[in-house]
């Protein structure tokens, strides 16, 4: 455990000296957190019945807006669209950190001296994975905390805040988010074994965003209703996917493979 | 005396390619062992095997008293390695770089050890500066210090002066000579044959397999024997017969005013030759020994190997 902490601290000390990584870690959660708050503060209280009826015909607002005012309905609708976008935080941050930390070590050839120490490959991989995943999870949770406070200030009524404290949001932020981070780190490790440039590794790993963006578009288009049940299924599927990805990433992260095949 | 490194038929194959073939060597404690060979000869692969970084395909080895394969963790604790590239974290300070590795090796007094090496290397005043701002020589010294932090039984140095300018190389040489005086066991690969000649107690010439192994002077003798040149005031041709009359003379050839004589023991045999030449009317200006460099030996061994392969 101590050696994992040593790796983690070193990675943070090094990676966070990189301005681009710092920008991603700080700026992305800030944007995704503040955007809906500002949106609601600026226009979320003005409701035009015509617009809402139009929305209602396009989306199933009955389930979403039962027993709430029109202003609250519009706000609940807007806020609910942001859930999938919010899940970009635990995906993008680990990809950025892991790409820079692993491919960075590869290009500067710093991995070999580390591998020559008594640290086990497992400890090294876990240290690097945690160094990439923890900031993402913390940023997601912190962003969500600010999001809840912000929405409670600008919302039309307490029902809007209640909705973002509903099981689907809690499941997404506290279960799906960490699982997405694990998937992101595993993919970043795998891609890093082939890529020689952190930016290339990052861009290739970003392909992982496609399913999430697909879900977001489907939600916006009214094709899918993202509720607690769907998130739970999504989380269960991710547990299986994460196990497979982690197993594969661990295999690729063997000393001999890194030294002789990571070119 | 028990060997610090002992390999028997150590072999490494990457698919069809044999990188190291049946290497059997033994390195004694306190010895500086040179491992010379051309690019792609398998030197780095050998070091990686001996540092338990990659697994041999065949053969066995004991390093620092531990068996390769079954006690890899103990081997890693007891060896230090300077990799081909210094592999330092450029964004971190010199102190932070050493601190990180000291913690990975679970050194008890991390701060004390780091300070000791930074002072020893003359980097104490720049300990808070990012390593990326250091010169190549300073980086290389820092990388050697990193390999020494945990006081390993054996130190592996993979081309420690490669790519350094003469001044930086001198810094590293001085440091290595200090380590030699301390009695450290060092396994060094280098393309700098003068460096190997000066530092190494024994040298292995290697090109995927062992071509020769001995002390630098024995290797030179083994390949070239010893030779003496007599500089005369007159043409040497007329005295060749007089010289070859001695049974200890292996060969003698004249070139203008010089006679080149190959023999076993010039210290003992030269006086008789000088006497004979003077008696024969030769006027000797001076006598010198022809010294072959380790480079000559190295190139000769590789040439011999290429010829053997081509036939």
């Amino acid at each position: 455990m101590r050696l994992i902490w040593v790796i983690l601290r070193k990675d943070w000390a090094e990676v966070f000296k990189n301005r681009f990584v710092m920008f991603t870690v700080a700026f992305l959660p800030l944007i995704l957190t503040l955007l809906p708050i500002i949106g609601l503060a600026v226009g979320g209280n003005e409701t035009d019945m015509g617009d809402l009826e139009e929305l209602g015909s396009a989306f199933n607002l009955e389930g979403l807006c039962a027993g709430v005012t029109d202003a609250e309905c519009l706000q609940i609708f807007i806020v609910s669209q942001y859930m999938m976008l919010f899940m970009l935080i635990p995906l993008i941050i680990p990809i950025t950190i892991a790409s820079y930390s692993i491919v960075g070590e590869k290009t500067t050839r710093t991995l070999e001296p580390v591998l020559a120490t008594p640290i086990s490959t497992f400890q090294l991989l876990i240290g690097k994975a945690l160094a990439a995943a923890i900031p993402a999870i913390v940023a997601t949770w912190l962003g969500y905390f600010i999001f809840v406070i912000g929405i409670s200030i600008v919302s039309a009524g307490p029902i809007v805040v209640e909705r973002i404290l509903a099981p689907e949001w809690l499941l997404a932020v506290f279960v799906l988010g960490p699982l997405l981070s694990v998937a992101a780190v595993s993919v970043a490790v795998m891609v890093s074994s082939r890529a020689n440039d952190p930016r290339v590794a990052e861009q290739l790993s970003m392909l992982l965003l496609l399913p999430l963006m697909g879900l977001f578009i489907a939600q916006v288009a009214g094709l899918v209703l993202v509720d607690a049940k769907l998130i739970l299924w999504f989380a269960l599927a991710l547990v299986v996917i994460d196990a497979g990805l982690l197993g594969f990433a661990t295999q690729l992260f063997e000393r001999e493979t890194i030294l002789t095949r990571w070119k | 005396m028990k060997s610090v490194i002992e390999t028997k038929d150590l072999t490494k194959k990457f698919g069809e390619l044999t990188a190291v073939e049946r290497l059997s060597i033994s390195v004694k404690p306190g010895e500086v062992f040179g491992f010379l060979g051309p690019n792609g000869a398998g030197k780095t692969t050998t070091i990686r095997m001996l540092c338990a970084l990659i697994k041999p395909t065949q053969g066995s080895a004991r390093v620092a008293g531990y068996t390769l394969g079954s006690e890899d963790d103990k081997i890693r604790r007891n060896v230090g390695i300077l990799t081909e590239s210094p592999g330092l974290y450029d964004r971190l300070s010199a102190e932070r770089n050493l601190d990180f590795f000291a913690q990975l090796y679970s050194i008890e007094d991390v701060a004390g050890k780091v300070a000791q090496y930074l002072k020893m290397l003359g980097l104490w005043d720049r300990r808070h500066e990012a390593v990326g701002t250091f010169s190549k020589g300073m980086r290389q010294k820092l990388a050697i210090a990193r390999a020494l932090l945990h006081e390993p039984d054996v130190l592996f140095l993979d081309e420690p002066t490669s790519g350094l300018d003469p001044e930086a190389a001198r810094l590293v040489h001085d440091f290595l000579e200090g380590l030699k005086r301390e009695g450290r066991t060092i396994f060094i690969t280098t393309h700098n044959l003068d460096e190997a000649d000066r530092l190494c107690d024994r040298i292995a010439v290697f090109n995927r397999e062992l071509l020769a192994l001995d002390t630098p002077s024995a290797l030179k003798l083994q390949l070239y024997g010893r030779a003496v040149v007599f500089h005369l005031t007159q043409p040497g041709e007329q005295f060749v017969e007089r010289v070859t009359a001695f049974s200890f003379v292996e060969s003698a050839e004249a070139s203008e005013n010089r006679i080149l004589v190959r023999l076993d023991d010039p210290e003992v045999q030269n006086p008789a030759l000088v006497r004979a030449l003077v008696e024969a009317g030769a006027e000797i200006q001076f006598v010198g020994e022809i010294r072959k460099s380790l480079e000559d030996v190295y190139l000769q061994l590789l040439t011999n190997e290429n010829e053997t392969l081509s036939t």
Side-chain angles (χ1 to χ4, degrees), chain A residues 2 105 109 112 118 256, chain B residues 12 48 55 73 87 89 106:
Chain A
R2 194 188 59 77
E105 292 234 30
R109 300 190 178 184
E112 190 170 357
E256 184 153 346
Chain B
K12 180 68 186 178
R48 284 176 172 172
K55 292 182 179 73
D73 190 54
Y89 297 101
S106 305

Side-chain angles (χ1 to χ4, degrees), chain A residues 58-212:
Chain A
F59 304 97
N60 179 19
L61 290 184
E62 278 173 25
L64 208 63
C65 297
V68 301
T69 65
D70 286 348
E72 285 169 337
C73 177
L74 184 65
Q75 289 195 347
I76 289 168
F77 175 75
I78 293 172
V79 161
S80 65
Q81 304 304 312
Y82 275 94
M83 186 202 282
M84 284 300 117
L85 281 185
F86 212 74
M87 289 297 100
L88 289 177
I89 302 173
L91 261 185
I92 294 177
I93 292 177
I95 285 174
T96 306
I97 296 178
S99 299
Y100 275 85
S101 123
I102 298 170
V103 181
E105 292 234 30
K106 192 167 139 183
T107 51
T108 52
R109 300 190 178 184
T110 45
L111 263 183
E112 190 170 357
V114 175
L115 294 170
T117 69
I119 193 167
S120 71
T121 317
F122 177 76
Q123 287 168 322
L124 181 59
L125 180 61
I126 293 296
K128 288 207 161 286
L130 289 177
I134 288 174
I137 294 168
V138 169
T140 309
W141 291 354
L142 200 66
Y144 179 64
F145 181 69
I146 296 168
F147 182 65
V148 171
I149 292 176
I151 294 296
S152 67
I153 294 167
V154 300
S155 68
I159 188 73
V160 183
V161 181
E162 271 174 39
R163 289 297 168 90
I164 56 169
L165 289 170
E168 60 261 31
W169 268 93
L170 298 179
L171 273 172
V173 171
F174 294 101
V175 179
L176 198 62
L179 286 169
L180 284 171
S181 291
V182 173
V185 169
S186 307
V187 170
V189 169
M190 285 187 279
V191 172
S192 298
S193 70
R194 286 287 173 267
N196 284 322
D197 187 320
R199 284 162 298 186
V200 173
E202 198 185 4
Q203 281 159 16
L204 287 173
S205 305
M206 290 291 181
L207 291 174
L208 200 63
L209 301 183
L210 290 179
L212 196 71

Side-chain angles (χ1 to χ4, degrees), chain B residues 138-280:
Chain B
M138 286 162 74
R139 292 164 65 85
Q140 199 72 340
K141 281 203 302 180
L142 192 64
I144 297 172
R146 178 189 61 201
L148 284 166
L149 271 176
H150 57 298
E151 306 293 344
D153 292 338
V154 52
L155 184 63
F156 289 90
L157 304 175
D158 197 357
E159 298 183 20
T161 53
S162 168
L164 299 186
D165 61 40
E167 196 185 351
R170 168 61 69 86
L171 280 174
V172 174
H173 283 155
D174 292 347
F175 191 55
L176 295 182
E177 273 165 10
L179 294 177
K180 185 181 178 176
R181 282 193 295 274
E182 282 177 20
R184 302 260 188 184
T185 307
I186 301 174
F187 187 101
I188 181 171
T189 74
T190 179
H191 286 300
N192 184 335
L193 300 170
D194 285 339
E195 174 181 277
D197 203 358
R198 196 164 65 235
L199 278 173
C200 300
D201 298 309
R202 281 193 306 151
I203 281 170
V205 181
F206 182 79
N207 192 10
R208 299 195 180 176
E209 57 183 354
L210 193 61
L211 302 179
L213 168 60
D214 218 320
T215 62
S217 54
L219 278 176
K220 291 176 212 169
L221 190 66
Q222 197 181 306
L223 227 64
Y224 291 100
R226 294 181 75 180
V228 177
V229 64
F230 292 89
H231 291 256
L232 312 176
T233 56
Q234 63 268 64
E237 187 61 48
Q238 54 189 307
F239 305 106
V240 169
E241 209 171 306
R242 186 78 179 88
V243 171
T244 49
F246 288 96
S247 59
F248 57 76
V249 171
E250 288 167 18
S251 68
E253 52 190 279
S255 167
E256 297 179 350
N257 288 5
R258 294 186 296 272
I259 309 174
L260 179 74
V261 184
R262 292 191 187 279
L263 67 180
D264 299 332
D265 196 352
E267 288 81 1
V268 173
Q269 294 153 349
N270 268 358
L273 283 175
V274 171
R275 247 190 332 267
L277 283 168
V278 170
E279 280 170 11

